[in-house]
């Protein structure tokens, strides 16, 4: 039987069912899933008796660490061409990545996982059986049941989120200019983790240019970051102090140990640890306060795995990234887990001993607006332009790991030119 599926936006390819060929299905083309697929394709050629199927409902691999750049990138005029330029900076079509490799891409949505039957259910294609399954579906936004938060806030999790926020910022100032209003503009960022901090620090550069573009008084625009814990970026007191100083320099207000209790038409209702309550007006509320595993995994958690990232209940099923219950949800760890999963599937095929996964933190870099970033490695904190350059080189290294050299270099130069527009 022949099954047809989307290869990209317009192209389609065929997948031939063959009972003699065993199937490795990888759900999710994020950092963990794509890494697994690419490594398996190197070790399992077409004549190996295995085929590798990569399933994702999106046609592109999304480089999520740069989403905040897309949301805050400035353009003199919002056009289809400029939005395409933004999209290309963080989204790479899967067919472009897997071209010439022993990987078949299925663009479809997973609606059910049936581990007892070694089968999954896809929305368009229907049932698909597997010999090995890798679950790397990523995460979704977590609103923590806060009343009105999902309705009144804008998340920053997907490509469409980033593009929509970029357009919304420009449109808001355009409407104020058109109506000849000079009211105070309040932008509230809920969540002071890495994404919230990166977005907030990049935002002032965009606002400066929007105010100049629409002749709006810059002093009338206020940015406030709300964080429920006592630290920013989840990296301790030293990092928090650096971020607070950076906030002060950029004119960003911050509220630590403060909870969002509800959101409605009146604004953002907050409460401090001392039970002091108040309401913040918000022309735009950006929610970056948390994620949770994909709903297909568990309603309230991640997939239990052993030290080999192998399902505790089904040894032919592996999980990685945000879906595995082994480590924090970080891109660098998801990338490493994809490597271990690939090696362990190969080991299982060859009857060899599996390799345990050990999380290795290489340090965390947090961009803080402009050509400035901080790096925490162990107990040491480094900051400045050199750290920003290091981050850009890490981005280049990642592009080189999934694309041919010249394609990766060209993309990296394109992305850097897009991102420095506010600096």
């Amino acid at each position: 039987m022949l099954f047809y599926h989307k290869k990209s936006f317009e192209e389609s390819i065929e997948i031939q069912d063959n009972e003699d060929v065993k199937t490795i299905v990888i759900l999710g083309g994020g950092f963990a899933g794509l890494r697994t697929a690419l490594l398996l394709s190197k070790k399992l050629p077409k004549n190996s008796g295995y085929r590798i199927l990569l399933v994702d409902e999106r046609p592109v691999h999304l480089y999520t660490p740069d989403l905040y750049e897309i949301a805050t990138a400035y353009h003199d005029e919002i056009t289809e061409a400029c939005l395409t330029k933004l999209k290309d900076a963080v989204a790479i079509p899967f067919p472009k990545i897997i071209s010439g490799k022993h990987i078949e891409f299925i663009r479809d949505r997973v609606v059910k996982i049936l581990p007892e039957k070694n089968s999954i259910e896809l929305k368009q294609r229907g049932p698909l059986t597997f010999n090995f399954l890798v679950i790397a579906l990523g995460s979704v936004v977590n609103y923590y049941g806060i009343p009105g938060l999902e309705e009144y806030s804008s998340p920053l999790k997907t490509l469409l989120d980033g593009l929509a926020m970029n357009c919304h910022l420009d449109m808001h100032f355009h409407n104020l200019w058109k109506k000849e209003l000079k009211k105070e503009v309040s932008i509230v960022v809920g969540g002071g983790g890495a994404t919230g901090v990166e977005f907030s620090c990049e935002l002032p550069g965009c606002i400066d240019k929007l105010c100049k573009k629409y002749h709006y008084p810059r002093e009338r625009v206020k940015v406030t970051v709300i964080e429920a814990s006592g630290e920013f970026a989840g990296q301790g007191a030293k990092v928090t102090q650096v971020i607070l100083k950076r906030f002060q320099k950029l004119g960003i207000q911050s509220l630590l140990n403060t909870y969002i209790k509800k959101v409605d038409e009146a604004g953002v209702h907050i409460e401090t640890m001392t039970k002091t309550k108040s309401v913040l007006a918000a022309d735009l509320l950006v929610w970056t306060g948390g994620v949770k595993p994909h709903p297909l995994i568990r309603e309230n958690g991640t997939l239990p795995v052993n030290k080999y990232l192998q399902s505790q209940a089904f040894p032919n099923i592996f999980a990685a990234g945000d879906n595995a219950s082994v480590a924090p949800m970080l891109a660098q760890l998801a990338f490493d887990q994809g490597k271990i999963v690939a090696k362990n599937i190969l080991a299982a095929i060859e009857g060899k001993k599996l390799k345990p996964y050990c999380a290795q933190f290489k340090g965390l870099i947090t961009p803080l607006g402009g050509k400035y970033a901080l790096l925490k490695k162990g107990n040491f904190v480094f900051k400045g332009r050199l750290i920003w350059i290091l981050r850009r080189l890490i981005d280049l290294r990642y592009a080189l790991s999934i694309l041919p050299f010249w394609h990766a270099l060209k993309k990296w130069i394109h992305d850097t030119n897009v991102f420095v527009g506010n600096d």
Side-chain angles (χ1 to χ4, degrees), residues 9-307:
F9 289 100
E10 299 176 351
E11 299 173 294
S12 65
I13 62 173
E14 299 178 352
I15 292 180
Q16 180 73 51
D17 270 1
N18 187 336
E19 294 182 357
D20 296 329
V21 177
K22 296 181 180 180
T23 303
I24 301 172
V25 176
I26 301 168
L27 304 181
F31 291 103
L34 183 60
R35 176 73 162 168
T36 302
L38 290 175
L39 290 178
L40 286 174
S41 71
K42 291 182 179 180
K43 300 295 184 179
L44 295 173
K46 290 185 178 180
N47 61 357
S48 65
Y50 282 86
R51 64 175 181 170
I52 304 165
L53 303 184
L54 178 62
V55 181
D56 200 300
E57 63 180 301
R58 303 172 303 189
V60 296
H61 171 65
L62 185 63
Y63 191 68
T64 52
D66 281 339
L67 267 179
Y68 77 96
E69 295 272 18
I70 299 305
T72 56
Y74 171 81
H75 288 277
D76 292 330
E77 184 180 2
I78 301 293
T79 64
E80 184 177 348
C82 84
L83 292 177
T84 299
K85 190 175 181 180
L86 290 176
K87 175 184 73 67
D88 291 344
V90 294
I92 310 172
F94 284 116
K96 186 174 182 179
I97 298 174
I98 67 175
S99 177
K101 297 179 175 62
H102 180 214
I103 303 170
E104 302 165 64
F105 175 61
I106 300 177
R107 185 184 178 187
D108 209 336
R109 176 179 295 182
V110 186
V111 294
K112 191 177 295 184
I113 300 175
L114 304 169
E116 300 88 353
K117 298 181 179 180
N118 288 332
S119 175
I120 63 170
E121 186 81 21
L122 300 179
K123 183 177 181 180
Q124 297 178 3
R125 173 178 170 138
L128 177 65
T129 58
F130 60 83
N131 296 91
F132 289 96
L133 178 66
V134 180
I135 302 176
L137 290 166
S139 57
V140 296
V141 179
N142 191 349
Y143 294 99
Y144 299 102
I146 299 173
L149 182 57
E150 183 174 3
E151 179 183 358
Y152 288 97
S153 70
S154 298
L156 187 54
K157 187 76 172 84
T158 68
L159 174 60
L160 289 179
D161 292 340
L163 294 175
M165 196 172 299
N166 188 291
C167 294
H168 180 80
L169 283 167
D170 190 280
M171 185 60 68
H172 186 74
F173 283 94
H174 175 270
N175 289 337
L176 291 174
W177 168 78
K178 190 175 181 180
K179 296 176 182 178
E180 298 184 348
L181 295 175
K182 301 296 181 183
K183 63 183 287 291
E184 184 173 280
V185 176
S186 174
I187 300 174
V188 177
V189 180
T195 300
V197 168
E198 291 165 2
F199 171 78
S200 300
C201 287
E202 197 66 29
L203 190 57
C206 178
I207 293 174
D208 289 346
K209 294 203 169 189
L210 286 173
C211 287
K212 185 176 180 180
K213 176 181 177 180
Y214 292 112
H215 309 288
Y216 205 83
R218 178 64 177 85
E219 66 275 6
R220 300 290 290 169
V221 185
K222 180 175 66 175
V223 177
T224 305
V225 184
I226 302 172
E227 168 56 35
S229 73
E231 61 185 47
F232 284 115
Q235 297 181 52
K238 289 183 180 179
V239 169
T240 297
Q241 288 304 311
V242 174
I243 292 173
L244 284 170
K245 289 181 180 179
R246 187 64 175 168
F247 279 176
Q248 186 176 14
K249 182 175 181 179
L250 295 171
I252 299 170
Q253 299 182 20
S254 59
L255 297 172
L256 288 167
N257 298 308
T258 302
Y259 301 89
I260 296 178
K261 304 301 290 185
K262 70 174 182 178
V263 186
D264 55 26
E265 293 181 355
V268 183
H269 297 252
I270 59 175
E271 182 177 317
T272 67
M273 292 187 69
T274 58
K275 303 301 180 181
T276 301
K277 299 179 181 180
S278 58
V279 181
L280 293 179
D283 295 273
L284 172 63
L285 171 60
V286 182
W287 176 246
T288 64
V291 295
K292 58 184 177 181
H294 194 284
L296 275 179
I297 308 306
R298 287 286 181 91
E299 289 186 5
N300 298 300
T302 51
L303 183 69
V305 295
N306 59 23
K307 61 183 179 180

Side-chain angles (χ1 to χ4, degrees), residues 323-343:
N323 299 156
S325 57
V326 291
M329 295 179 178
L330 296 173
Q332 62 171 276
L333 298 184
F335 190 72
D336 291 342
Q337 289 168 29
K339 179 179 179 180
I340 294 296
V341 168
K343 286 185 174 182

